[in-house]
Amino acid sequence: VLTGELSIVGPRPAIPYEVELYRSWYLRRLEAQPGITGLQQVTARSTFDFDHQMRLDIQYVQNQSFLLDLKIMLKTPFVIISTKGAQ
């Protein structure tokens, strides 16, 4: 965040070897700056399959707003504490 490579809220940073295997529609998630927390992390964590996680990231890209970011930031501590879906 301090160097500008990450945002506080955004899709999880893409792993290069995963990007090589992306379906074409997954690439849409790369249109937003990666973040420390995101819609996928506070909604699904590790409980949904990869396609569903990508859909959540793309949903975030399509609906980015200050209000959505605020909602995600407020939910993050509760998701971390609950450990639901953590692996």
Side-chain angles (χ1 to χ4, degrees):
V1 174
L2 297 176
T3 63
E5 293 178 30
L6 283 177
S7 178
I8 293 173
V9 180
R12 178 171 288 178
I15 300 170
Y17 76 85
E18 278 185 352
V19 174
E20 293 176 14
L21 302 173
Y22 275 8
R23 296 178 182 186
S24 60
W25 62 272
Y26 290 175
L27 296 173
R28 182 81 197 272
R29 76 182 292 273
L30 301 176
E31 294 175 14
Q33 187 170 16
I36 295 171
T37 188
L39 184 61
Q40 184 267 322
Q41 287 80 11
V42 300
T43 304
R45 251 182 135 175
S46 298
T47 58
F48 291 120
D49 66 29
F50 195 70
D51 276 353
H52 192 107
Q53 292 175 23
M54 293 295 108
R55 282 188 193 94
L56 288 168
D57 282 343
I58 292 166
Q59 181 182 340
Y60 173 78
V61 169
Q62 293 172 332
N63 298 293
Q64 277 182 300
S65 69
F66 175 76
L67 233 59
L68 180 57
D69 285 359
L70 185 60
K71 184 189 276 187
I72 291 168
M73 287 187 288
L74 292 172
K75 285 179 81 172
T76 297
F78 296 103
V79 172
I80 292 169
I81 290 169
S82 79
T83 67
K84 182 180 176 189
Q87 290 185 333

